[in-house]
């Protein structure tokens, strides 16, 4: 779920949004209209037979595009909306996309194409970019048709959409016209003839269907994905969405094969998918064809093809920490962590993930490790009847200094990280915790 | 091949008495320490993964007791701390007879357990709740929820949940000071 980082002052963004809207209004006034990616051909409705034939493939598109995760409230009816997306400017609620009167029952084929690829709903109402139409803009018309056929075949659910609670000027949808002119790509990405078919399919899967960048690409002051820093990592609802460039993936210990497996199963030596990435695996990638996951991996690693043999990136060299830190940290570890994660961080199959090869030790930021240690993680069910047990939170057992020492020591010995975690960073994550943000 | 096992001295309080210093290998769980060093076998090894809560003990702190799982927590974590196991809830009356704690009595009166394997954990969980309510009472209409939350992590394979729940709920409602109007 893409959302707006909390760190950005609302005032600054509000000003930027208004400025961009004025620029947009000027452009509209000067005759440069918003550019649609949708061809006029989709004005012709699909026949009932075509809809029936397309629906099964549309189910695959829906899974790969992960519509379910955002458009289904916890415990709510499938695709009936209601999941809150909290931003510093208020809450946006995902909408009902079942074919009911409250949902998209009245959408024509062309309406559906324009909502997905232009971010404009019937009546000219602009969608918020929380709906990843900037990514979906790259979807092929065939896939959008298939998705339309599938969504229209879902049971209609009569659930009214909840009103967003955005503050001014963020509640002014017209301002998004300006935002779109500045941030919505005019040209749709086309296959790169210099790259392999696999790579090109992977680019489509990653950038359009899977919209990886919506979480993994940092955003600029206007909250648009920064094309100069694509997939280099960002912070989403207080959790680090890691760098998934080839260097970032290798840093975490992935190779093209293990990444494919991780996307299919949600678990690897690098640990388990947590927070929003758990939802991605749970609702989306585990249901994708292996060919698409292979393509995704090839693209993310920037390869023409997957290597014949797994490549095992070398484990980072341990970094020494001061003796006093190591003493305090190992006492905490032996007392509170080793019972489940093992004395050497090896983990227990089906119970707890390994720590010594865990990506949280290796990524640049320590927030993921600190958060998990402070607040715990829920039990998780993975494909193939695999599961990981709940991790308790240690917020009341470890103070800021003790947890900082523990995180510093674990990341130094297993992740080769020489930057010490500070008690201040722990204090910040302790205070900023919201129970509803954890998965 | 033999590997040297690192051993450190451990001193803690168990059921009100100081224990140690005793040489204990660093990787020893509190549960093994209670069983093998002290002969206190009441805390149960169930899953060994921190899930079933049959192994929980009370850790007595100034702010009130907390529950901890002895199977996944290292014995040395309790250095200098004070632990109460299921053996430490009853007390001996002046006439030499054993007086069960109110929680233990409530479990007996409600026939709360069958095989009894999970009972030490339920005694711990319910007693921690009762101690908490002595400090911060709850409204009577919140008792149902509070008891459910306190017992929820404990697994009973005989599925005696209803009677455990009833025993604790009745005890809380009948004990002055645990609830507000």
């Amino acid at each position: 779920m893409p959302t707006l980082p909390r760190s950005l002052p609302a005032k600054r963004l509000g000003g930027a949004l208004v400025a961009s809207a004025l620029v947009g209004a000027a452009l509209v006034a000067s005759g440069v209209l918003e550019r649609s990616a949708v061809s006029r051909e989709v004005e012709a409705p699909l026949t009932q037979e075509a809809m029936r034939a397309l629906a099964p493939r549309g189910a695959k598109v829906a899974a790969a595009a992960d519509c379910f995760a955002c458009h289904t409230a916890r415990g709510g009816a499938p695709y009936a909306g209601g999941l809150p997306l909290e931003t510093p400017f208020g809450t946006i609620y995902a909408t009902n996309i079942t074919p009911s009167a409250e949902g998209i029952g009245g959408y024509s084929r062309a309406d559906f194409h324009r909502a997905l690829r232009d971010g404009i709903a019937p009546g000219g109402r602009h969608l918020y970019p929380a709906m990843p139409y900037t990514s979906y803009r790259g979807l092929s018309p065939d896939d959008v048709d298939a998705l339309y056929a599938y969504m229209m075949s879902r049971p209609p659910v009569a659930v009214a959409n909840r009103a967003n609670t955005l503050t001014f000027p963020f509640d002014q949808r017209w301002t998004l016209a300006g935002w779109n002119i500045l941030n919505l790509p005019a040209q749709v990405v086309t296959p790169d003839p210099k790259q392999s078919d696999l790579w090109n399919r992977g680019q489509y899967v990653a950038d359009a269907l899977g919209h990886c960048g919506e979480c993994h690409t940092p955003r600029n002051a206007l909250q648009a994905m920064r094309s100069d820093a694509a997939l280099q990592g960002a912070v989403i609802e207080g959790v680090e969405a890691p760098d998934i460039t080839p260097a970032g993936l290798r840093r975490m210990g992935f190779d093209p094969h293990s990444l494919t497996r991780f996307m299919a199963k949600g678990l690897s030596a690098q640990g388990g998918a947590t927070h929003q990435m758990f939802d991605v695996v749970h609702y989306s990638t585990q249901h994708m064809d292996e060919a698409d996951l292979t393509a995704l991996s090839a693209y993310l690693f920037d390869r023409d093809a997957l290597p014949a043999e797994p490549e095992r990136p070398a484990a980072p060299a341990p970094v020494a920490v001061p003796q006093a830190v190591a003493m305090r940290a190992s006492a905490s570890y032996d007392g509170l962590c080793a019972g489940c994660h093992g004395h050497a961080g090896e983990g227990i199959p089906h119970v707890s993930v390994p720590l010594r090869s865990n990506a949280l030790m290796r990524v640049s930021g320590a927030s993921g490790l600190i958060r998990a240690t402070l607040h715990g993680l829920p039990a998780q069910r993975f494909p193939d009847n695999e599961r990981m047990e709940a991790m308790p939170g240690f917020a009341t057992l470890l103070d800021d200094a003790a947890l900082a020492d523990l995180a510093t020591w674990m990341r130094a010995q297993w992740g080769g990280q020489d930057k010490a975690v500070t008690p201040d960073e722990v204090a910040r994550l302790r205070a900023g915790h919201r129970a509803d943000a954890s998965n | 091949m033999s590997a040297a096992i690192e051993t450190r001295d451990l001193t803690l309080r168990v059921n009100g008495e100081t224990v140690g210093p005793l040489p204990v290998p660093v990787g020893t769980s509190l549960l093994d320490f209670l069983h093998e060093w002290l002969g206190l076998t009441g805390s149960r090894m169930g899953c060994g993964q921190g899930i079933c809560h049959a192994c929980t003990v009370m850790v007595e702190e100034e702010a009130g007791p907390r529950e901890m799982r002895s199977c996944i927590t290292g014995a040395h974590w309790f250095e200098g701390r004070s632990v109460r196991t299921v053996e430490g809830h009853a007390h001996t009356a002046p006439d030499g007879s054993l007086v069960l704690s109110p929680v233990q009595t409530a479990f007996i009166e409600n026939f709360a357990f069958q095989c009894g394997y999970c009972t030490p954990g339920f005694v711990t969980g319910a007693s921690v709740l009762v101690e908490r309510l002595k400090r911060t009472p709850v409204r009577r209409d919140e008792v149902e929820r509070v008891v459910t939350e306190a017992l929820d992590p404990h697994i009973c394979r005989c599925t005696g949940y209803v009677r455990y729940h009833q025993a604790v709920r009745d005890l809380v409602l009948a004990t002055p000071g645990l609830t507000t109007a």
Side-chain angles (χ1 to χ4, degrees):
Chain A
M1 276 171 292
T3 183
L4 310 166
R6 286 159 205 296
S7 55
L8 203 71
K11 221 172 193 174
R12 185 177 132 213
L13 181 58
L17 190 64
V18 169
S20 80
L22 292 175
V23 171
L27 288 171
V28 171
S30 65
V32 186
L33 293 171
E34 282 182 86
R35 296 150 297 192
S36 175
V38 178
S39 121
R40 292 200 175 279
E41 283 170 30
V42 300
E43 297 291 349
L46 293 164
T47 63
Q48 288 301 316
E49 294 73 42
M51 294 279 279
R52 265 197 299 278
L54 281 170
R57 201 166 67 73
K60 292 251 167 215
V61 175
D66 204 6
C67 313
F68 191 99
C70 288
H71 284 283
T72 306
R74 295 280 178 275
Y79 298 116
L83 192 79
L85 230 137
E86 284 179 31
T87 79
F89 329 112
T91 304
I92 297 177
Y93 292 93
T95 54
N96 183 341
I97 55 165
T98 68
S100 64
E102 295 81 359
I104 60 164
Y107 277 45
S108 69
R109 176 190 180 193
D111 290 339
F112 190 79
H113 277 256
R114 277 194 287 268
L116 255 74
R117 301 186 68 203
D118 293 342
I120 298 175
R125 185 172 56 90
H126 283 84
L127 305 182
Y128 286 103
M131 159 74 178
Y133 60 84
T134 17
S135 298
Y136 292 161
R137 192 167 184 79
L139 290 176
S140 72
D142 286 350
D143 276 355
V144 179
D145 276 342
L147 186 59
Y148 177 64
Y150 174 69
M151 292 314 306
M152 288 301 178
S153 74
R154 298 297 83 208
V157 182
V159 173
N161 288 320
R162 286 189 68 173
N164 299 328
T165 60
L166 293 171
T167 52
F168 184 83
F170 306 102
D171 58 344
Q172 301 295 304
R173 286 177 181 269
W174 62 271
T175 59
L176 290 161
W179 191 92
N180 286 343
I181 284 171
L182 296 174
N183 300 306
L184 194 59
Q187 301 298 322
V188 174
V189 173
T190 48
D192 181 346
K194 294 196 294 295
Q195 304 286 355
S196 68
D197 289 348
L198 190 70
W199 188 100
N200 276 305
R201 176 64 187 169
Q203 181 183 45
Y204 180 76
V205 170
D207 292 348
L209 270 178
H211 56 283
C212 308
E214 298 279 350
C215 289
H216 289 277
T217 297
R219 291 174 184 270
N220 63 20
L222 280 174
Q223 294 302 311
M225 290 183 281
R226 279 176 50 196
S227 54
D228 62 322
L231 306 179
Q232 289 179 15
V235 174
I236 295 296
E237 294 188 331
V239 180
E240 189 182 356
D243 180 344
I244 54 168
T245 62
L249 290 167
R250 275 194 298 275
R251 176 181 186 152
M252 287 190 276
F254 284 109
D255 80 327
H257 289 281
S258 60
L259 180 66
T260 306
R261 197 181 150 69
F262 177 79
M263 298 304 287
K265 307 297 181 190
L267 271 176
S268 68
Q270 286 69 41
T274 57
H275 299 105
Q276 293 189 19
M277 197 61 204
F278 176 79
D279 288 351
V280 170
V281 173
H282 190 75
Y283 297 119
S284 176
T285 56
Q286 68 159 312
H287 305 291
M288 285 169 66
D289 291 337
E290 195 180 341
D292 275 350
L293 292 180
T294 305
L296 174 69
S297 193
Y299 169 68
L300 290 177
F301 272 98
D302 197 20
R303 307 281 183 92
D304 288 339
L306 257 55
E309 294 294 321
E311 303 161 354
R312 301 188 195 288
V319 171
V321 298
Q323 180 76 17
V325 172
M327 289 271 291
R328 292 192 295 266
S330 62
S332 298
Y333 186 86
D334 288 341
L336 299 177
C337 315
C340 293
H341 292 289
H343 290 284
E346 68 273 24
I348 303 175
H350 322 301
V351 174
S352 58
V353 295
L355 298 182
R356 63 185 175 194
S357 55
N358 199 296
L360 291 180
M361 308 302 151
R362 303 180 182 192
V363 293
S364 57
S367 64
L369 175 61
I370 296 168
R371 249 181 100 102
T373 311
L374 277 175
H375 308 301
L377 291 167
Q380 292 174 310
R381 186 180 294 277
F382 292 100
D384 301 338
N385 289 324
E386 181 58 271
R387 62 180 277 127
M388 286 288 138
E389 296 304 341
M391 167 163 165
F394 294 92
T396 61
L397 289 170
L398 293 168
D399 63 22
D400 294 341
L403 206 154
D405 285 343
L406 177 62
T408 298
W409 175 77
M410 287 201 287
R411 282 168 56 84
Q413 66 165 334
W414 290 321
Q417 302 293 315
D418 55 7
K419 190 163 162 278
V421 175
T422 64
D424 280 353
E425 185 175 7
V426 179
R428 208 157 30 76
L429 289 166
R430 189 189 292 272
H433 180 62
R434 300 170 314 137
D436 60 349
S438 64
N439 172 1
Chain B
M1 199 181 86
S2 70
I5 295 175
E6 192 196 340
T7 293
R8 275 206 305 273
D9 278 351
L10 172 62
T11 307
L12 74 165
R13 286 175 72 77
V14 178
N15 298 332
E17 313 234 336
T18 298
V19 173
L22 287 170
V24 178
V26 291
T28 307
S29 69
L30 177 68
L31 185 64
D32 280 346
F33 175 73
L34 294 172
H35 286 185
E36 307 295 336
W37 271 258
L38 305 185
L40 294 173
T41 55
S43 308
R44 304 284 199 242
M45 168 63 94
C47 65
Q49 300 172 351
I51 299 154
C52 75
H53 289 68
C55 70
T56 62
V57 298
M58 264 170 129
V59 183
E60 295 167 315
E61 297 172 350
E62 215 155 281
R66 71 162 83 221
E67 228 181 327
M68 280 190 82
R69 284 164 278 187
S70 64
C71 77
I72 55 165
T73 312
H76 285 283
W77 172 258
F78 297 90
E79 172 69 36
R81 291 186 160 94
S82 179
V83 166
R84 188 162 298 274
T85 68
V86 72
E87 290 91 343
H89 286 260
H91 69 273
T92 309
D95 67 359
S97 64
L98 194 67
V99 180
L100 295 179
S101 75
V103 166
Q104 289 171 316
T105 305
F107 284 178
I108 301 253
E109 285 174 352
N110 282 273
F111 297 93
F113 50 87
Q114 291 180 44
C115 83
Y117 201 82
C118 65
T119 308
F122 273 93
V123 168
T124 302
S127 302
V128 167
L129 172 66
V130 167
E131 292 302 317
R132 195 184 89 211
L133 295 179
K134 281 181 190 168
R135 291 159 189 260
T136 47
V138 296
R139 290 204 320 269
R140 294 181 76 80
D141 61 2
E142 289 179 324
V143 169
E144 181 84 12
R145 174 182 61 79
V146 164
V147 171
T148 302
E149 283 170 3
L151 302 186
D152 188 51
H154 290 265
I155 291 177
C156 166
R157 298 212 67 175
C158 309
T159 67
Y161 299 110
V162 171
R163 284 176 296 184
Y164 272 131
H165 192 282
Q166 185 177 314
V168 180
R169 187 187 57 205
D170 290 356
L171 174 68
V172 169
L173 289 173
T175 307
L178 300 188
T179 56
T180 58

